Amino acid sequence: MKTKAKIMIVDDAEMNREILMVILGDEYEYVQAENGRQAIHILQQDMNIDLMLLDINMPVMNGIEVLQVIKKKNISVKVLVLTVHNEVEYLLKAVDIGIDGYIMKDAESAELKKAINCIMQGETYIQPSLVPALNSR
């Protein structure tokens, strides 16, 4: 029986991945990827990943490209985009592809945990400060 949810942290900065694991604590099991291509490879090997925390701006394969591959290959994983990019185009493109959540890296840790909990319960979570940009399209 599976006890802990498994989260994949996809970010090209090792320190960001480590900080996220500290913030989220031992409530989850973690898998790390340093670029999109590595993330897709891991996803295809491990079907037990529940949630992916996905950075947008990465070398080799960026977050938008990862989202497109996940949808094209019908890989079953929930995706929370965690990014420094607050440009509306990234948000709109990610939402159009079908993400489960979108949050800025400068959000408080409590908001990150709230986003993860919402998504794990089958809901969508867009950081409230970004919602006006979505509604204005």
Side-chain angles (χ1 to χ4, degrees):
M1 185 177 121
K2 191 172 168 181
T3 53
K4 292 183 180 182
K6 189 183 275 190
I7 294 180
M8 178 190 287
I9 302 173
V10 186
D11 194 306
D12 57 312
E14 182 180 3
M15 186 166 56
N16 289 347
R17 298 191 307 267
E18 291 176 0
I19 288 169
L20 285 168
M21 289 187 290
V22 169
I23 288 170
L24 297 175
D26 60 6
E27 185 177 340
Y28 304 102
E29 187 180 330
Y30 301 100
V31 178
Q32 298 182 54
E34 62 188 37
N35 62 57
R37 185 176 299 144
Q38 186 181 35
I40 294 297
H41 178 76
I42 292 168
L43 276 175
Q44 291 174 323
Q45 306 300 313
D46 185 349
M47 301 300 180
N48 295 317
I49 294 171
D50 300 293
L51 175 70
M52 175 188 284
L53 295 180
L54 180 62
D55 187 19
I56 293 279
N57 193 14
M58 296 180 293
V60 184
M61 180 187 281
N62 71 37
I64 296 296
E65 293 168 325
V66 170
L67 288 170
Q68 291 167 333
V69 171
I70 287 171
K71 293 305 171 188
K72 182 179 174 191
K73 295 184 180 257
N74 206 19
I75 298 171
S76 178
V77 65
K78 294 181 182 304
V79 180
L80 172 58
V81 171
L82 185 61
T83 183
V84 295
H85 293 287
N86 62 357
E87 288 92 0
V88 177
E89 311 86 68
Y90 284 119
L91 174 61
L92 296 179
K93 190 156 193 147
V95 167
D96 287 343
I97 294 169
I99 48 140
D100 299 285
Y102 198 100
I103 190 169
M104 301 302 298
K105 283 185 178 178
D106 63 2
E108 294 182 11
S109 57
E111 185 165 14
L112 174 61
K113 291 175 184 178
K114 179 181 179 183
I116 290 171
N117 289 333
C118 284
I119 292 167
M120 295 299 266
Q121 292 168 13
E123 300 170 35
T124 300
Y125 187 93
I126 305 294
Q127 185 169 329
S129 62
L130 300 173
V131 171
L134 269 183
N135 292 337
S136 67
R137 64 192 275 193

